[in-house]
Every structure is written in C-alpha cells, then in structure tokens.
Amino acid sequence: EVLLVESGGGLVRPGGSLRLSCVASGFTFSDYSMNWVRQAPGKGLEWVSSISRPGTSIMFYADSVRGRFSISRDNAKNSLYLQMTSLRAGDTAVYYCARGTDELATDDAFDLWGPGTMVTVSS
Amino acid sequence: SYVVTQPPSVSVAPGETATLTCGGYGIGGKRVHWYRQKPGQAPVLVMYNDRDRPSGIPERFSGSNSGNSATLSISRVEAGDEAAYYCQVWHVSGDHGPKVFGTGTQVTVL
C-alpha cells in the first residue's frame, strides 16, 4: 500500500524547536519530490516547503517560515523531515507531508498525502 | 504575493452540477490543481494540470482554465461530494516561487 505517515508533532513553547518526520512506503521514495503543507485549526491549506528528488538539491520555503524551518530527506530511510525552530503561536497547525508530481518540485501537484501531525505552540 | 480567490461556499442539489471557481491574475497561464478535503481527513488530489483527473476520480469531475479564472465542475453531484475544495498554483517569483493555495470553497449538497 502506498502510504505517507507523519510523526513528531506535539506541544512546544514559543521559541522552541521541533522536528517532524514523514515515512514513505509502497513507492520508490527517491523518485519523487516532497513537500510540507500545514493547516491551522479551522483555516485553509498553506504550503510550507518543498525538496526536489535526490541529485538536484532544490529546497524552497514559504516566506512565513524561511530562515526558521529546514527541510531535508534521507532516502535510505524513505524519510522526509522538517526541522522547525523559533516556533511561534502562528505555527500552530496540522502539518502534512505530500508527494510531488514533479521531480524538481516546481509547478507540481501533490498526489499523495499523509494523515498529518498536530503541532501546538503555546506557553 | 500572488493571491488566489475562491468563493467561500457553494450549495447544490443532488444530481445538479457544482461549478467552483479559482481566481487570480493571469491564472490561465498557470497550471491549476484541485484538492478535496473532508472534515478530519487529509486533502485528496481530484484534478491536476487544469483538466487531468488522477486515477480513481470519476468522470463527473472536469476542469478548465483561462484568463483570470479556473473552474472545477462536478456534475451529477452526490452527497459524498460534500467537502472543502482548494485550488493550488505555482507562482514563479525569484528562483523558486511559492506554491499558493486558494482560500477554499465549502460545497454543501442540499
């Protein structure tokens, strides 16, 4: 079965850090670009970050997280990561990992999503 | 920043056609993708590259895009189509522009 499963969410204080993980199964992870998308409670979808397939080393970020969040991948472990630092209340959301349809992570759709992991930033 | 606008809600009777719009300056020159999200669930891709349906999405779903508006049409609407629908584009800005989601449309089946 083709799956993405996120983990690592939780409650963190403002200014704190958290690392999210996403494990892929059922497909060749290294053939695809990957993305993080978040959704604040009761709100719409917001793209966070993208990383291209291995070998092209393209990573890019939404303005709202650039400089605070870092995306990475470990193809040997079929895993995608999001390192989040300097967290703010506005980062509170469900974070989804999503597979991209373009290997360079540009101009693509997200054709497979995980169930999401909740991140709550609060004192 | 590039803004993509969707009407907050659309109501449609069963068996009728729901027409969802996605507006943005020059959006006809971009590839538009559409997602369906039911409460408590992750989004699901229902249309990509303006008019292509992923496997498993019924032919009742169709898409178009020109000028400043893209459209997702759902014909012969069923109760199971009730959900929030989001459009998404890639806006080229600098080396790698952002991926922008629309504000979302809640489809209610009467």
Side-chain angles (χ1 to χ4, degrees):
Chain A
E1 185 180 6
V2 178
L3 273 179
L4 296 170
V5 179
E6 305 91 341
S7 62
L11 175 64
V12 61
R13 295 186 183 278
S17 299
L18 210 56
R19 188 197 196 204
L20 305 184
S21 300
C22 170
V23 177
S25 59
F27 64 97
T28 305
F29 179 69
S30 58
D31 282 349
Y32 292 88
S33 62
M34 296 296 297
N35 306 268
W36 288 100
V37 176
R38 69 185 180 182
Q39 186 171 37
K43 302 298 184 181
L45 302 172
E46 180 189 13
W47 168 76
V48 173
S49 181
S50 299
I51 186 168
S52 62
R53 63 166 291 180
T56 51
S57 301
I58 298 170
M59 295 166 284
F60 50 114
Y61 302 89
D63 288 345
S64 58
V65 306
R66 187 177 294 113
R68 300 188 298 122
F69 290 11
S70 177
I71 192 171
S72 62
R73 63 191 297 164
D74 184 336
N75 299 299
K77 295 182 178 179
N78 290 337
S79 293
L80 175 73
Y81 305 102
L82 186 69
Q83 179 68 48
M84 305 186 295
T85 64
S86 302
L87 283 162
R88 310 163 178 166
D91 297 318
T92 294
V94 174
Y95 283 73
Y96 297 101
C97 70
R99 189 177 73 178
T101 57
D102 176 74
E103 62 180 25
L104 296 180
T106 57
D107 206 9
D108 58 349
F110 308 142
D111 67 349
L112 178 67
W113 296 64
T117 186
M118 182 70 202
V119 172
T120 302
V121 183
S122 174
S123 55
Chain B
S1 62
Y2 189 76
V3 177
V4 179
T5 303
Q6 298 180 250
S9 62
V10 167
S11 297
V12 58
E16 298 299 310
T17 297
T19 302
L20 284 65
T21 58
C22 175
Y25 181 75
I27 201 170
K30 304 179 184 298
R31 297 179 185 180
V32 179
H33 317 296
W34 293 87
Y35 304 87
R36 175 183 65 205
Q37 186 181 33
K38 297 185 177 181
Q41 297 184 17
V44 172
L45 181 67
V46 297
M47 192 69 60
Y48 65 100
N49 295 346
D50 300 337
R51 59 181 68 247
D52 294 329
R53 280 179 292 106
S55 60
I57 301 301
E59 293 183 2
R60 301 186 295 108
F61 287 75
S62 62
S64 64
N65 184 20
S66 68
N68 294 318
S69 183
T71 299
L72 176 71
S73 296
I74 311 171
S75 61
R76 302 184 298 283
V77 164
E78 305 171 354
D81 297 327
E82 187 163 288
Y85 290 79
Y86 295 91
C87 58
Q88 176 242 318
V89 300
W90 181 58
H91 175 60
V92 178
S93 174
D95 292 333
H96 294 96
K99 302 179 184 184
V100 182
F101 285 95
T103 48
T105 296
Q106 176 65 43
V107 171
T108 299
V109 181
L110 300 172

